[in-house]
Amino acid sequence: MEYNFRDIEKKWQRTWTEIGAYRVSNDFSKPKYYVLDMFPYPSGAGLHVGHPLGYIASDIYARYKRLKGFNVLHPMGYDAFGLPAEQYALETGQHPAVTTEANIRSFREQLDNIGFSFDWSREFRTSQPDYYKWTQWIFLELFNSYFDRKAGKARPIAGLEVAFSMEGNEGAPCPGNESLRFTSADWAGYSARERADILMQYRLAYCGYGEVNWCEALGTVLANDEVINGLSERGGYPVVKKKLRQWYLRITEYADRLLEGLERIQFSEAMKEMQTNWIGKSFGANLFFNVAGSTDRLEVYTTRPDTIFGVDFLVLAPEHELVGRIVPADHQAAVSAYVDYVNSRSERERMAEKKITGCFTGAYAVHPFTGARVPIWISEYVLAGYGTGAIMAVPCGDERDFRFAQHFNIPITNIIGDAYTGEAANPTKDEVLSNSDFLNGTVMRDAIGVVIERFEAMGIGRRKVNYKMRDAAFSRQRYWGEPFPIQWIDGVATPLHDLPLELPFVEKYGPGPEGEGPLANVPAWTARHLETNTMPGYAGSSWYFLRYMDPHNAAAFCDRRLSDYWNQVDLYIGGTEHAVGHLLYSRMWTKALFDLEYIGFDEPFKRLVNQGMIQGSSRFVYRVRGTNRYVSLGLKDAYETDALHVDVNIVDGIELDTGAFRRWRPEYADAEFILEDGKYLCGSEVEKMSKSKFNTVNPNALVERYGADTYRMYEMFLGPVEQSKPWDTKGIEGVHRFLRKLWRLFYDETKGALWTSGAATPEELKVLHKAIKKIEEDTERFSFNTAVSAFMILTSELSDLDCHKKDVLSQTLILLTPYAPHVAEELWHQLGMPGSILDAAYPVLNPAYLVESSKLYPIAINGKTRTELDIALDASQADIEALIRSNEVVQKWLDGKPYKKVVYVPGRMINVVV
């Protein structure tokens, strides 16, 4: 019987679907395990071989945990709203609902082809009204909540209103305006509009005006992580700063809990560091400087108040609100030009910029202790959203300030004596201060508290904990997204409770007036005074893992009994690109839902594995310049050539199929080739896998040629899941040969079935249990590449032993099931085993079979090794000598001579002395 993988795989995929093999019940009697892939966006380009890497890893682990007796939740759905879907629809001239549906069909077909164990009965899309109804509902829960700093958690805002009526906001500092103070009498006297405006500054989901990344070409606002080098990540269009009314999530209130939570979850240290740095917690003080000749005061944030007497200039963010007021007429043109330059750059660019840029405003501040005039500059390295958007620059102690001062020839004050050489800044906290008035002789770190106390006593500053992270922009000026369930009545945001508020269908759409969203062009929408922005792409993906637990519930986003059972995602697999976006937002949403007692856990993901990238292995042909002739790699140096990418699918290794090349594109139809040894050999280079480089490989083609089981195992065999590695189709043949060799343990092409029901020998059981130990350990630690190697070794060793014992082969198949489920299921049934292998019990390791009872000793004669003998570990000297006397090879080398003695070192060596 031949290994007909195509028929086998289609047969079992069809059977598993018909019997609902992967449908998961809420069986509370079984231990649960929740395995999840990061929510995919179904691209119009479809999957290439790099995309399924994480899916295969999660599928292996989900199947493994099922065999270990767990009730495994392994769902799949689609992140269908958002800018990529909308932009793809615009580029193809279609409606995003149409393109999204087509993309999902293609995506599903490719996934099914690979044989994943997803429970498709739980599938949903973020663009479905019965899903985004609950996204809107959660938004309103955030809108109707505030963060109680005393309790350290979210509470209903109705309770805050009661507190205001009794005691004002004495015990509830305003996160949106820390200077806001009012009494219960003030609150009673406020109008409904004034009260609404105050409450908006407390809400976890709130509306305000803010500077955003505006992309005119895309007609929308972009998050910071969607802007690269001043251009949109999607499409590469220019991005500028613009002030618009926006919705925000007050994620900054959760900063400390987001940091604390990192200590309780299994994320990589690199991922934890990225989130910690993004949150950017620091301790310091806010300090006021009066602006010379003005009633304005300039507030700066500093982590080093001890260096106050080393301040040589102040730097404002170019977009700081005071810039427009303090710049004298003779500096207006220069300042305006510089501000325009900065507005063309993304925040990421500004933070990474090595070149020193800035502009003197012409204005001065007054030093709070010395009264000296301190020049005020603007520079892109200061960000409006961090701290107060203004810093005090101390060049002798801060390297960036030092380089700025040197570049613009600003005099530098030395406050640390010999510790400052003038060659570089010294950021020490351990030197004794000098040239620092009342701080002279004080160690710098000891001076920090002294200065803050002086600030507070003089009323010019206060102690402050700060965070680099900003509140998350939560609205986009686009069509394809969740509508906000908000109606604006007399300027007040009023929740709508008849959900879902459905997105109206429009044939065509474009930006609304004054940067508003496309919904501003829909008369029926604006007549109801509905919010014209829509939610961002991450709205639906911030809570989707909860909906999988209870996907068809029309009465709640998730039944509490089910969320208590399935609880946290035990294993989450996805890319590092979501480190400071999705992963932070979903953690914040989870904490808010926990605070409001809708769920019983405050971290969504217990363990996170970041898969690496499978890179493309590009191929190049070399066109002789000015001709349509192509010279092979080894001969190209004799010609002037241009290297051109060629489709890797028409190259075998590095040998080009010249006929396929001529048929590939019209311009190559008449191509001529200069060959070497009768072949055209291509150049190669490892690059990102991309359609533009013609180095993508469609998994469908590989599954058709080699089978899904081969493809699955080869993706894992390429290397550790977490590491990036180049794709090489050539290597897949080795894995395919392994599966054919495995098949031959069961079937011979001429003899037919080979398995027997006899008892396994000790040698066979040793091989099997050695494999059980290795494969289980490797699977548990996600070392899938070494597990595949262990399967190859197991198959070779069983072949060498000529082992066809049913008991051994059936256990081997169960081990193989997570990796190659189709061939495992087929051979399981051929063996006549009961039920499906998907529900078999994972083999249990018996350590007794791994205890060595003998050792292979080298047998030396006069110090030279002549043979080897397998000898019992408890053999005596007499046993050894008896074996020596009876061994033909030893007797041959003795050549009839008697030996003087046999040196036997147990566990090490045997030497016969002649």
Side-chain angles (χ1 to χ4, degrees), residues 529-604:
H529 306 290
L530 297 171
E531 172 64 62
T532 58
N533 291 326
T534 53
M535 296 186 199
Y538 70 82
S541 63
S542 289
W543 72 281
Y544 75 107
F545 52 93
L546 295 168
R547 189 61 175 174
Y548 281 136
M549 301 175 187
D550 196 9
H552 308 300
N553 191 335
F557 74 95
C558 181
D559 185 281
R560 178 63 188 264
R561 284 179 67 243
L562 294 181
S563 66
D564 283 348
Y565 173 62
W566 291 112
N567 209 263
Q568 291 171 285
V569 174
D570 295 282
L571 173 64
Y572 198 34
I573 295 185
T576 57
E577 66 271 17
H578 299 291
V580 295
H582 158 67
L583 284 171
L584 275 176
Y585 304 141
S586 56
R587 292 182 63 214
M588 181 249 179
W589 282 48
T590 302
K591 290 179 187 299
L593 290 170
F594 170 77
D595 292 348
L596 299 172
E597 300 183 358
Y598 291 114
I599 57 176
F601 50 93
D602 76 336
E603 283 289 345

Side-chain angles (χ1 to χ4, degrees), residues 221-291:
V221 166
L222 301 176
N224 289 330
D225 53 319
E226 295 174 318
V227 181
I228 299 174
N229 299 325
L231 302 173
S232 62
E233 183 179 39
R234 181 79 180 182
Y237 301 112
V239 177
V240 297
K241 298 292 184 182
K242 186 172 184 176
K243 280 211 168 185
L244 290 174
R245 190 187 74 191
Q246 294 293 303
W247 284 94
Y248 297 90
L249 298 183
R250 212 176 292 279
I251 193 172
T252 49
E253 292 293 285
Y254 279 94
D256 282 332
R257 282 178 58 187
L258 289 169
L259 287 171
E260 179 275 328
L262 290 174
E263 299 172 11
R264 295 185 280 112
I265 51 181
Q266 298 175 56
F267 285 16
S268 70
E269 290 306 312
M271 175 62 72
K272 289 182 179 181
E273 184 178 0
M274 279 189 277
Q275 293 209 350
T276 299
N277 291 342
W278 185 262
I279 294 167
K281 184 176 184 178
S282 63
F283 300 87
N286 278 11
L287 168 65
F288 289 100
F289 286 79
N290 290 325
V291 177

